[in-house]
């Protein structure tokens, strides 16, 4: 599914797409500044949670209300993610957003995890969200 977004308010369309999916693991793919963390922020807001969403770049994982789990593999990479036992975190109930998780895809498949992949492309102020399960 392809969703064009021209404003923060329109991110609700992407949030609804995620909620309607039968997948609770979401790999977010896109360049720096494309809107990966902004999407998680709007998703958390769409659930009515009051948590402040920030990029987990240095922490590797942020948890919001024990419902939304937000990972960033940019600095630590897949090996560190696995060494820290984070793969087991994906079994927890809730939504799991993984930024820069493209290298994790084969491992997820090997262990039987299903996921939704959202590729974000920036076109000026507009963002294109491609959702693939």
């Amino acid at each position: 599914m392809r969703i064009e977004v021209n404003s923060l308010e329109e991110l609700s369309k992407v949030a609804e797409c995620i909620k309607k999916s039968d997948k609770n693991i979401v790999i977010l793919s896109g360049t720096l500044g494309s809107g990966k963390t902004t999407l998680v922020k709007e998703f958390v807001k769409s659930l009515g949670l009051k948590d402040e969403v920030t990029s987990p770049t240095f922490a590797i994982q942020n948890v919001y209300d024990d419902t939304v789990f937000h990972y960033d593999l940019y600095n630590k990479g897949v090996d560190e993610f696995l060494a820290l036992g984070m793969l087991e975190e994906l079994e927890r109930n809730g939504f799991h957003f993984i930024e820069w998780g493209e290298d994790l895809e084969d491992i997820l498949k090997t262990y039987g995890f299903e996921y939704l992949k959202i590729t974000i492309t920036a076109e000026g102020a507009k963002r294109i969200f491609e959702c693939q399960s």
Side-chain angles (χ1 to χ4, degrees), residues 63-112:
V63 180
Y64 311 111
D65 197 45
D66 214 29
T67 304
V68 177
F69 303 87
H70 185 194
Y71 312 88
D72 189 323
L73 305 186
Y74 185 76
N75 278 331
K76 305 286 186 181
V78 171
D79 291 338
E80 183 77 10
F81 180 85
L82 296 172
L84 291 170
M86 301 306 278
L87 197 61
E88 288 136 12
E89 285 288 294
L90 300 178
E91 295 176 349
R92 295 178 68 181
N93 287 331
F95 291 94
H96 298 265
F97 291 89
I98 307 170
E99 295 188 28
W100 305 100
E102 297 88 340
D103 291 340
L104 191 60
E105 290 183 69
D106 287 339
I107 295 166
L108 293 177
K109 290 176 188 172
T110 298
Y111 287 97

Side-chain angles (χ1 to χ4, degrees), residues 2 5 8 16 33 36-38 45 51 58 64 78 82 84 91 106-108 111 118 120:
R2 177 185 164 102
V5 172
L8 284 177
E16 288 307 309
K36 295 178 293 294
T37 298
T38 301
K45 186 174 151 184
D51 297 58
F58 299 104
Y64 311 111
V78 171
L82 296 172
L84 291 170
E91 295 176 349
D106 287 339
I107 295 166
L108 293 177
Y111 287 97
I118 299 179
I120 307 168

Side-chain angles (χ1 to χ4, degrees), residues 18 21 23 25-27 114-118 131-133:
I18 295 166
S21 167
K23 314 282 188 307
I25 298 172
V26 181
I27 292 181
E114 294 185 3
Y115 59 89
L116 176 68
K117 181 176 182 180
I118 299 179
C131 304
Q132 309 153 339
S133 25

Side-chain angles (χ1 to χ4, degrees), residues 25-41:
I25 298 172
V26 181
I27 292 181
L28 299 174
S29 179
T31 59
L32 284 172
S34 62
K36 295 178 293 294
T37 298
T38 301
L39 173 58
V40 176
K41 188 179 294 188

